[in-house]
Amino acid sequence: MHTHQTVDFVRKKGAEYGACAQRQMSIMEALDLLDNVVDESDPDVDFPNSYHAYQTAEGIRRAHPDKDWFQLVGLLHDMGKILALAGEPQWAVVGDTFPVGCRVQESVVFSDSTFHDNPDTKTPLYNTQYGIYQPHCGLANVLMSWGHDEYMYQVMKFNNFALPQEAFYMIRFHSFYPWHTGGDYMHLCSNEDLRMLAWVKEFNKFDLYTKCEDLPDVTQLKPYYQSLIDKYCPGQLCW
């Protein structure tokens, strides 16, 4: 991931998938596809990601029974991992995300030892604090390493999901650990990013701490979550 995620690569993948012209299917059909995906980067999960989706959603439901949109985010958050089934390598699907086009910050895991073969390290502009960006330009204007977060965000945006802005932030940046956990890249953040950070942190608790081998009864849970899908993102969607 640290070798191949470059500005050019991210732009290429954004153009390839941003039009959401790969296929059409419903949320539940996409969730079923997650049964075929195991995230090789996650040491806490060795079962299909559809179960983790329900575990996360149910954890949020217990803590936030009044926020059905937040519960749905739990179900949706890793759905972009179906990229792995489209032939994308794991390093272009999973793993902690980070901005490209500027200097890698210290809280990026193994930042001091795994970027030496990345072509962007040869471009001086990309190795300054701000790189190709302006101070406090906002994360919406930053190129993030390509993976399931950005892909699912693009799907949500393209299909006009009727969810609040907080939901879009949670999906797009939940793997951006150097920001929401490491505290780095604040020099690129807008006031809106800082306001949303608390929501991303709140989501992260359920993403991390609901994983267990006690698998949920999906048959029992499906009708409830289908009702949320019908409310916020119904029908056949473009992916």
Side-chain angles (χ1 to χ4, degrees):
M1 184 183 193
H2 291 175
T3 297
H4 300 296
Q5 292 275 0
T6 63
V7 170
D8 287 346
F9 177 80
V10 168
R11 286 175 172 158
K12 174 186 171 187
K13 289 301 171 184
E16 181 179 349
Y17 289 101
C20 295
Q22 303 296 312
R23 62 184 298 177
Q24 291 192 337
M25 59 182 165
S26 69
I27 290 294
M28 279 301 181
E29 287 172 326
L31 192 60
D32 287 341
L33 283 182
L34 279 184
D35 282 333
N36 301 308
V37 177
V38 174
D39 181 346
E40 294 173 11
S41 75
D42 192 338
D44 300 318
V45 173
D46 59 3
F47 47 81
N49 268 271
S50 61
Y51 289 104
H52 170 55
Y54 281 107
Q55 287 175 336
T56 307
E58 283 294 281
I60 295 168
R61 186 179 176 186
R62 287 189 292 271
H64 297 277
D66 58 327
K67 294 182 177 64
D68 62 354
W69 64 266
F70 193 2
Q71 299 160 29
L72 182 59
V73 169
L75 194 74
L76 298 175
H77 77 282
D78 276 347
M79 210 161 279
K81 290 180 181 179
I82 62 172
L83 280 173
L85 304 178
E88 295 294 341
Q90 289 264 325
W91 58 261
V93 180
V94 298
D96 296 358
T97 58
F98 56 91
V100 297
C102 63
R103 182 191 302 141
V104 175
Q105 301 290 292
E106 287 185 2
S107 64
V108 175
V109 66
F110 300 126
S111 60
D112 59 344
S113 60
T114 56
F115 282 89
H116 52 275
D117 289 331
N118 187 306
D120 282 0
T121 62
K122 309 298 191 294
T123 302
L125 177 60
Y126 295 167
N127 294 279
T128 61
Q129 182 181 16
Y130 291 100
I132 60 177
Y133 311 112
Q134 297 298 316
H136 305 292
C137 60
L139 295 179
N141 299 304
V142 170
L143 290 173
M144 297 296 298
S145 57
W146 177 259
H148 71 281
D149 300 47
E150 185 65 25
Y151 173 54
M152 191 60 197
Y153 166 76
Q154 295 295 338
V155 169
M156 292 168 65
K157 188 170 69 167
F158 186 91
N159 290 281
N160 297 310
F161 282 27
L163 290 166
Q165 188 67 11
E166 289 85 349
F168 286 82
Y169 262 79
M170 291 173 186
I171 296 291
R172 193 177 198 181
F173 299 117
H174 71 273
S175 298
F176 190 10
Y177 281 86
W179 175 55
H180 63 66
T181 301
D184 276 335
Y185 297 100
M186 294 299 174
H187 57 290
L188 300 179
C189 291
S190 65
N191 288 333
E192 178 73 352
D193 297 329
L194 299 179
R195 188 175 74 82
M196 291 292 177
L197 178 57
W199 284 100
V200 178
K201 285 176 174 286
E202 179 66 9
F203 170 78
N204 183 245
K205 294 190 303 190
F206 301 100
D207 188 15
L208 284 181
Y209 301 123
T210 59
K211 299 170 184 175
C212 66
E213 295 294 335
D214 184 16
L215 300 181
D217 184 344
V218 171
T219 304
Q220 182 183 7
L221 296 175
K222 253 187 179 180
Y224 175 72
Y225 287 100
Q226 183 63 59
S227 74
L228 301 189
I229 292 165
D230 293 341
K231 180 178 179 180
Y232 292 107
C233 46
Q236 292 288 299
L237 307 173
C238 298
W239 297 77

